[in-house]
Amino acid sequence: MQLTTRKTKQEIVTEFRCAEILEAARKVFAKKGFVDATMDEIAAATGLAKGTLYLYFKSKRDVYLRTLQQGVTELLDRVTTNIQEASGVRAKLRAIIATRVKYAEENRDFFKIYLTEFVNVTHPASINKEFRDKQFKLAQGIEQVLREGVKAGEIQEL
């Protein structure tokens, strides 16, 4: 007999509120950048009081990092699923590229933050271990596909 854990009403409200805040924050950070964005602007974009944001997030930096982590986690999940469904190196590489392109098209705000802000090594996201680990997993996925291709003789070892 397997027990299922049901979420409480408070947990559901918290998840919904956090998702709402992160979605608005993505747009604000994409438009203004990390430095110029304010919690007041994120609050206004969500239609919530600024104090409400602090019930869910410690700081602007926390919101920013969670925004990036959410995007990278979602991208990693999609890439992983699509690699697993593909067979052969070419199909897996196509799946990786197509998934990233599709995700970029569907999530332009995220990629604007990701590409313009994260490249700065002194940026808050660059010092976050969880974010770096997810980035590393994305790279490892590509590496694994290439190794499989070499092993299967589908691509030439260099």
Side-chain angles (χ1 to χ4, degrees):
M1 180 175 167
Q2 183 178 353
L3 296 175
T4 56
T5 306
R6 294 183 65 191
K7 293 181 182 179
T8 66
K9 181 179 178 182
Q10 182 60 39
E11 289 170 330
I12 293 169
V13 169
T14 297
E15 283 180 13
F16 174 78
R17 204 51 94 203
C18 285
E20 181 180 44
I21 293 167
L22 293 175
E23 183 179 331
R26 253 185 180 178
K27 292 175 181 159
V28 172
F29 288 130
K31 182 178 180 183
K32 309 234 26 198
F34 174 75
V35 172
D36 293 331
T38 67
M39 289 294 268
D40 286 320
E41 291 168 322
I42 295 168
T46 61
L48 299 171
K50 183 169 118 175
T52 304
L53 300 183
Y54 288 105
L55 294 174
Y56 299 97
F57 300 95
K58 295 182 284 189
S59 64
K60 178 176 81 167
R61 180 180 186 274
D62 186 32
V63 175
Y64 185 81
L65 292 175
R66 292 271 302 276
T67 299
L68 283 170
Q69 287 168 351
Q70 178 189 45
V72 171
T73 298
E74 187 176 334
L75 176 58
L76 178 60
D77 291 345
R78 287 186 188 186
V79 167
T80 301
T81 298
N82 291 341
I83 287 173
Q84 291 170 349
E85 292 174 356
S87 139
V89 173
R90 285 191 173 131
K92 289 181 185 219
L93 289 173
R94 278 192 192 105
I96 291 168
I97 294 165
T99 303
R100 290 177 82 113
V101 168
K102 184 177 179 186
Y103 191 81
E105 288 171 354
E106 293 172 353
N107 299 278
R108 291 179 187 270
D109 289 337
F110 166 73
F111 267 90
K112 186 169 183 184
I113 298 166
Y114 179 78
L115 295 174
T116 60
E117 297 282 353
F118 185 69
V119 295
N120 181 353
V121 295
T122 62
H123 198 274
S126 68
I127 58 176
N128 183 277
K129 182 178 177 350
E130 184 179 347
F131 186 81
R132 282 194 327 266
D133 289 348
K134 289 187 190 297
Q135 285 294 101
F136 189 63
K137 283 184 181 181
L138 280 167
Q140 283 179 317
I142 295 169
E143 180 183 11
Q144 181 181 347
V145 168
L146 294 173
R147 288 185 188 281
E148 289 173 10
V150 169
K151 186 176 180 181
E154 293 183 58
I155 57 176
Q156 186 178 11
E157 185 173 9
L158 299 177

mmCIF file of all heavy atoms in Angstrom, residues 68-69 72-73 76 80 114 118 125-141:
data_model
loop_
_atom_site.group_PDB
_atom_site.id
_atom_site.type_symbol
_atom_site.label_atom_id
_atom_site.label_comp_id
_atom_site.label_asym_id
_atom_site.label_seq_id
_atom_site.Cartn_x
_atom_site.Cartn_y
_atom_site.Cartn_z
ATOM 1 N N LEU A 68 16.196 32.247 -12.242
ATOM 2 C CA LEU A 68 17.144 31.527 -13.097
ATOM 3 C C LEU A 68 17.099 30.024 -12.849
ATOM 4 O O LEU A 68 17.105 29.230 -13.792
ATOM 5 C CB LEU A 68 18.563 32.054 -12.859
ATOM 6 C CG LEU A 68 18.887 33.393 -13.498
ATOM 7 C CD1 LEU A 68 20.226 33.916 -13.003
ATOM 8 C CD2 LEU A 68 18.891 33.285 -15.009
ATOM 9 N N GLN A 69 17.058 29.625 -11.600
ATOM 10 C CA GLN A 69 17.025 28.196 -11.272
ATOM 11 C C GLN A 69 15.780 27.528 -11.838
ATOM 12 O O GLN A 69 15.846 26.423 -12.369
ATOM 13 C CB GLN A 69 17.080 27.995 -9.755
ATOM 14 C CG GLN A 69 18.445 28.283 -9.187
ATOM 15 C CD GLN A 69 18.460 28.365 -7.668
ATOM 16 O OE1 GLN A 69 17.416 28.370 -7.020
ATOM 17 N NE2 GLN A 69 19.645 28.442 -7.101
ATOM 18 N N VAL A 72 16.343 27.129 -15.655
ATOM 19 C CA VAL A 72 17.340 26.104 -15.974
ATOM 20 C C VAL A 72 16.827 24.712 -15.617
ATOM 21 O O VAL A 72 17.042 23.747 -16.346
ATOM 22 C CB VAL A 72 18.695 26.400 -15.285
ATOM 23 C CG1 VAL A 72 19.656 25.244 -15.434
ATOM 24 C CG2 VAL A 72 19.314 27.651 -15.877
ATOM 25 N N THR A 73 16.116 24.600 -14.500
ATOM 26 C CA THR A 73 15.549 23.304 -14.104
ATOM 27 C C THR A 73 14.542 22.818 -15.141
ATOM 28 O O THR A 73 14.561 21.659 -15.555
ATOM 29 C CB THR A 73 14.876 23.410 -12.716
ATOM 30 O OG1 THR A 73 15.874 23.763 -11.760
ATOM 31 C CG2 THR A 73 14.217 22.104 -12.318
ATOM 32 N N LEU A 76 16.457 21.791 -18.276
ATOM 33 C CA LEU A 76 17.144 20.521 -18.038
ATOM 34 C C LEU A 76 16.157 19.356 -18.084
ATOM 35 O O LEU A 76 16.432 18.318 -18.696
ATOM 36 C CB LEU A 76 17.874 20.553 -16.699
ATOM 37 C CG LEU A 76 18.610 19.282 -16.272
ATOM 38 C CD1 LEU A 76 19.688 18.908 -17.279
ATOM 39 C CD2 LEU A 76 19.221 19.477 -14.892
ATOM 40 N N THR A 80 16.412 16.440 -20.881
ATOM 41 C CA THR A 80 16.588 15.069 -20.407
ATOM 42 C C THR A 80 15.496 14.157 -20.958
ATOM 43 O O THR A 80 15.777 13.074 -21.471
ATOM 44 C CB THR A 80 16.591 15.026 -18.865
ATOM 45 O OG1 THR A 80 17.664 15.855 -18.392
ATOM 46 C CG2 THR A 80 16.783 13.617 -18.350
ATOM 47 N N TYR A 114 19.270 35.103 -18.801
ATOM 48 C CA TYR A 114 20.287 34.053 -18.818
ATOM 49 C C TYR A 114 21.508 34.474 -19.642
ATOM 50 O O TYR A 114 22.638 34.340 -19.195
ATOM 51 C CB TYR A 114 19.640 32.797 -19.399
ATOM 52 C CG TYR A 114 20.513 31.596 -19.525
ATOM 53 C CD1 TYR A 114 20.813 30.811 -18.422
ATOM 54 C CD2 TYR A 114 21.010 31.202 -20.764
ATOM 55 C CE1 TYR A 114 21.590 29.675 -18.541
ATOM 56 C CE2 TYR A 114 21.783 30.068 -20.892
ATOM 57 C CZ TYR A 114 22.070 29.311 -19.776
ATOM 58 O OH TYR A 114 22.838 28.184 -19.907
ATOM 59 N N PHE A 118 23.990 36.503 -16.855
ATOM 60 C CA PHE A 118 24.761 35.434 -16.240
ATOM 61 C C PHE A 118 26.204 35.393 -16.727
ATOM 62 O O PHE A 118 27.068 34.828 -16.066
ATOM 63 C CB PHE A 118 24.091 34.080 -16.467
ATOM 64 C CG PHE A 118 24.789 32.980 -15.747
ATOM 65 C CD1 PHE A 118 24.756 32.923 -14.372
ATOM 66 C CD2 PHE A 118 25.516 32.035 -16.424
ATOM 67 C CE1 PHE A 118 25.420 31.930 -13.686
ATOM 68 C CE2 PHE A 118 26.179 31.029 -15.751
ATOM 69 C CZ PHE A 118 26.131 30.979 -14.382
ATOM 70 N N ALA A 125 24.212 35.095 -9.731
ATOM 71 C CA ALA A 125 23.912 33.741 -10.197
ATOM 72 C C ALA A 125 25.170 32.903 -10.359
ATOM 73 O O ALA A 125 25.149 31.697 -10.179
ATOM 74 C CB ALA A 125 23.160 33.788 -11.524
ATOM 75 N N SER A 126 26.280 33.548 -10.696
ATOM 76 C CA SER A 126 27.504 32.794 -10.957
ATOM 77 C C SER A 126 28.090 32.173 -9.699
ATOM 78 O O SER A 126 28.859 31.230 -9.786
ATOM 79 C CB SER A 126 28.547 33.686 -11.629
ATOM 80 O OG SER A 126 28.988 34.679 -10.729
ATOM 81 N N ILE A 127 27.716 32.684 -8.547
ATOM 82 C CA ILE A 127 28.268 32.143 -7.315
ATOM 83 C C ILE A 127 27.311 31.176 -6.625
ATOM 84 O O ILE A 127 27.576 30.688 -5.551
ATOM 85 C CB ILE A 127 28.672 33.272 -6.339
ATOM 86 C CG1 ILE A 127 27.488 34.166 -6.018
ATOM 87 C CG2 ILE A 127 29.837 34.059 -6.889
ATOM 88 C CD1 ILE A 127 27.790 35.235 -4.980
ATOM 89 N N ASN A 128 26.203 30.876 -7.283
ATOM 90 C CA ASN A 128 25.214 29.970 -6.724
ATOM 91 C C ASN A 128 25.502 28.546 -7.177
ATOM 92 O O ASN A 128 25.432 28.237 -8.360
ATOM 93 C CB ASN A 128 23.815 30.413 -7.167
ATOM 94 C CG ASN A 128 22.734 29.563 -6.578
ATOM 95 O OD1 ASN A 128 22.447 28.496 -7.111
ATOM 96 N ND2 ASN A 128 22.145 30.019 -5.492
ATOM 97 N N LYS A 129 25.830 27.671 -6.233
ATOM 98 C CA LYS A 129 26.229 26.300 -6.533
ATOM 99 C C LYS A 129 25.122 25.521 -7.249
ATOM 100 O O LYS A 129 25.393 24.817 -8.214
ATOM 101 C CB LYS A 129 26.637 25.573 -5.251
ATOM 102 C CG LYS A 129 27.118 24.155 -5.504
ATOM 103 C CD LYS A 129 27.554 23.487 -4.221
ATOM 104 C CE LYS A 129 27.975 22.063 -4.348
ATOM 105 N NZ LYS A 129 27.768 21.344 -5.557
ATOM 106 N N GLU A 130 23.890 25.654 -6.806
ATOM 107 C CA GLU A 130 22.791 24.907 -7.424
ATOM 108 C C GLU A 130 22.643 25.279 -8.899
ATOM 109 O O GLU A 130 22.459 24.424 -9.757
ATOM 110 C CB GLU A 130 21.481 25.158 -6.688
ATOM 111 C CG GLU A 130 20.329 24.335 -7.235
ATOM 112 C CD GLU A 130 19.030 24.564 -6.486
ATOM 113 O OE1 GLU A 130 19.038 25.167 -5.398
ATOM 114 O OE2 GLU A 130 17.996 24.120 -6.999
ATOM 115 N N PHE A 131 22.768 26.561 -9.195
ATOM 116 C CA PHE A 131 22.664 27.007 -10.584
ATOM 117 C C PHE A 131 23.815 26.457 -11.415
ATOM 118 O O PHE A 131 23.616 25.942 -12.504
ATOM 119 C CB PHE A 131 22.648 28.543 -10.633
ATOM 120 C CG PHE A 131 22.396 29.073 -12.013
ATOM 121 C CD1 PHE A 131 21.104 29.137 -12.504
ATOM 122 C CD2 PHE A 131 23.440 29.492 -12.803
ATOM 123 C CE1 PHE A 131 20.865 29.618 -13.785
ATOM 124 C CE2 PHE A 131 23.205 29.983 -14.079
ATOM 125 C CZ PHE A 131 21.911 30.049 -14.567
ATOM 126 N N ARG A 132 25.030 26.540 -10.879
ATOM 127 C CA ARG A 132 26.202 26.003 -11.597
ATOM 128 C C ARG A 132 26.057 24.505 -11.824
ATOM 129 O O ARG A 132 26.409 23.999 -12.878
ATOM 130 C CB ARG A 132 27.478 26.304 -10.828
ATOM 131 C CG ARG A 132 27.964 27.728 -10.986
ATOM 132 C CD ARG A 132 29.396 27.925 -10.507
ATOM 133 N NE ARG A 132 29.794 27.096 -9.384
ATOM 134 C CZ ARG A 132 29.748 27.459 -8.096
ATOM 135 N NH1 ARG A 132 29.318 28.657 -7.776
ATOM 136 N NH2 ARG A 132 30.152 26.650 -7.145
ATOM 137 N N ASP A 133 25.545 23.781 -10.824
ATOM 138 C CA ASP A 133 25.364 22.333 -10.956
ATOM 139 C C ASP A 133 24.385 21.988 -12.078
ATOM 140 O O ASP A 133 24.605 21.044 -12.837
ATOM 141 C CB ASP A 133 24.878 21.726 -9.642
ATOM 142 C CG ASP A 133 25.950 21.700 -8.566
ATOM 143 O OD1 ASP A 133 27.142 21.932 -8.887
ATOM 144 O OD2 ASP A 133 25.597 21.453 -7.391
ATOM 145 N N LYS A 134 23.314 22.745 -12.200
ATOM 146 C CA LYS A 134 22.341 22.491 -13.269
ATOM 147 C C LYS A 134 22.949 22.799 -14.637
ATOM 148 O O LYS A 134 22.724 22.085 -15.599
ATOM 149 C CB LYS A 134 21.063 23.286 -13.033
ATOM 150 C CG LYS A 134 20.275 22.737 -11.863
ATOM 151 C CD LYS A 134 18.947 23.394 -11.730
ATOM 152 C CE LYS A 134 18.243 23.062 -10.462
ATOM 153 N NZ LYS A 134 17.880 21.735 -10.222
ATOM 154 N N GLN A 135 23.742 23.850 -14.696
ATOM 155 C CA GLN A 135 24.444 24.167 -15.941
ATOM 156 C C GLN A 135 25.380 23.015 -16.324
ATOM 157 O O GLN A 135 25.470 22.633 -17.479
ATOM 158 C CB GLN A 135 25.264 25.451 -15.769
ATOM 159 C CG GLN A 135 24.447 26.693 -15.763
ATOM 160 C CD GLN A 135 23.818 26.888 -17.101
ATOM 161 O OE1 GLN A 135 22.651 26.593 -17.285
ATOM 162 N NE2 GLN A 135 24.557 27.354 -18.056
ATOM 163 N N PHE A 136 26.073 22.495 -15.341
ATOM 164 C CA PHE A 136 26.998 21.389 -15.557
ATOM 165 C C PHE A 136 26.251 20.151 -16.050
ATOM 166 O O PHE A 136 26.724 19.451 -16.948
ATOM 167 C CB PHE A 136 27.776 21.094 -14.268
ATOM 168 C CG PHE A 136 28.903 20.123 -14.440
ATOM 169 C CD1 PHE A 136 29.989 20.414 -15.260
ATOM 170 C CD2 PHE A 136 28.873 18.899 -13.784
ATOM 171 C CE1 PHE A 136 31.028 19.513 -15.427
ATOM 172 C CE2 PHE A 136 29.902 17.987 -13.937
ATOM 173 C CZ PHE A 136 30.983 18.292 -14.762
ATOM 174 N N LYS A 137 25.067 19.892 -15.498
ATOM 175 C CA LYS A 137 24.271 18.738 -15.933
ATOM 176 C C LYS A 137 23.840 18.879 -17.384
ATOM 177 O O LYS A 137 23.794 17.906 -18.127
ATOM 178 C CB LYS A 137 23.060 18.544 -15.026
ATOM 179 C CG LYS A 137 23.407 17.921 -13.701
ATOM 180 C CD LYS A 137 22.178 17.662 -12.867
ATOM 181 C CE LYS A 137 22.594 17.062 -11.542
ATOM 182 N NZ LYS A 137 21.470 16.751 -10.686
ATOM 183 N N LEU A 138 23.508 20.097 -17.793
ATOM 184 C CA LEU A 138 23.172 20.314 -19.201
ATOM 185 C C LEU A 138 24.362 19.970 -20.097
ATOM 186 O O LEU A 138 24.220 19.286 -21.111
ATOM 187 C CB LEU A 138 22.738 21.764 -19.437
ATOM 188 C CG LEU A 138 21.313 22.121 -19.053
ATOM 189 C CD1 LEU A 138 21.121 23.634 -19.040
ATOM 190 C CD2 LEU A 138 20.316 21.475 -19.997
ATOM 191 N N ALA A 139 25.539 20.419 -19.713
ATOM 192 C CA ALA A 139 26.750 20.124 -20.488
ATOM 193 C C ALA A 139 27.069 18.630 -20.459
ATOM 194 O O ALA A 139 27.479 18.054 -21.474
ATOM 195 C CB ALA A 139 27.929 20.928 -19.954
ATOM 196 N N GLN A 140 26.882 17.992 -19.315
ATOM 197 C CA GLN A 140 27.143 16.557 -19.200
ATOM 198 C C GLN A 140 26.228 15.756 -20.113
ATOM 199 O O GLN A 140 26.636 14.721 -20.646
ATOM 200 C CB GLN A 140 26.954 16.080 -17.761
ATOM 201 C CG GLN A 140 28.098 16.425 -16.845
ATOM 202 C CD GLN A 140 27.828 15.947 -15.421
ATOM 203 O OE1 GLN A 140 26.727 16.091 -14.897
ATOM 204 N NE2 GLN A 140 28.849 15.379 -14.803
ATOM 205 N N GLY A 141 25.008 16.208 -20.288
ATOM 206 C CA GLY A 141 24.078 15.521 -21.188
ATOM 207 C C GLY A 141 24.600 15.494 -22.609
ATOM 208 O O GLY A 141 24.545 14.467 -23.289
#
